[in-house]
Amino acid sequence: GKHLISVNGQRLSVNIPKGAEENKKIRLRGQGKPGIVGGAAGDLIVTLHIAPHPTFKRKGADIYSTVPVNMVQAALGSKVRVQTYDKGLVDLKIPAGTQNGKLFKLSGLGISAGGRQGDHYVEVKVTIPKHLGGKARDALKKFAELSGIMY
């Protein structure tokens, strides 16, 4: 889309293509320095720098994000809501036994760039409670005994 930039106090309109990547160069014809002895002005080259997003990371046309999942959801399976880049919230099925760091692919929900439709990869971050009450602690110890988990 069209964006206004300021160069040496002059405001210029730049058309930034959808899905443009970091360090993409855009040529603005005739907007550079004046030519020698009345010659035509040169071109101005604008290099794009994309501000980091607080939620999403980008690699080419693919988007990466994380979703917190508690240990019960990871162990038993669950459905979680995932915020996508531009398609709102979608449901992601977390199968029973999902491990921390597991990547799930949301096909076609990345960025449309360079003639390719990217995907959205969601990394599961399993959260562990910092404090357990007495009954919850006892239940977890009993679970460990029943499952043969050493602690």
Side-chain angles (χ1 to χ4, degrees):
K2 291 278 185 193
H3 295 275
L4 289 176
I5 63 169
S6 182
V7 178
N8 297 331
Q10 182 182 3
R11 292 173 63 83
L12 301 171
S13 178
V14 179
N15 186 25
I16 299 176
K18 183 178 178 182
E21 294 192 52
E22 176 72 10
N23 290 322
K24 176 172 178 54
K25 295 190 180 342
I26 296 174
R27 179 183 306 272
L28 299 179
R29 299 204 182 280
Q31 298 297 328
K33 290 187 177 180
I36 299 171
V37 193
D43 297 340
L44 175 66
I45 307 297
V46 176
T47 303
L48 297 181
H49 294 291
I50 312 296
H53 193 278
T55 305
F56 304 111
K57 302 249 181 302
R58 178 180 176 184
K59 290 182 185 170
D62 296 329
I63 294 288
Y64 290 79
S65 68
T66 60
V67 64
V69 174
N70 68 47
M71 64 183 195
V72 177
Q73 289 174 304
L76 300 180
S78 185
K79 225 183 241 186
V80 294
R81 307 282 296 191
V82 174
Q83 180 65 53
T84 61
Y85 173 69
D86 63 353
K87 302 286 190 263
L89 291 168
V90 298
D91 287 330
L92 175 63
K93 185 181 186 304
I94 304 293
T98 293
Q99 301 297 306
N100 186 54
K102 169 82 174 156
L103 271 182
F104 290 95
K105 178 174 149 182
L106 301 173
S107 295
L109 293 183
I111 292 175
S112 178
R116 164 169 135 57
Q117 180 61 48
D119 301 315
H120 183 152
Y121 293 90
V122 181
E123 181 181 4
V124 169
K125 291 288 184 187
V126 178
T127 59
I128 308 296
K130 291 184 180 180
H131 305 287
L132 290 174
K135 286 184 179 180
R137 188 175 178 81
D138 291 343
L140 198 53
K141 284 182 179 181
K142 185 68 174 169
F143 165 77
E145 288 173 23
L146 293 170
S147 302
I149 298 172
M150 302 299 292
Y151 65 95

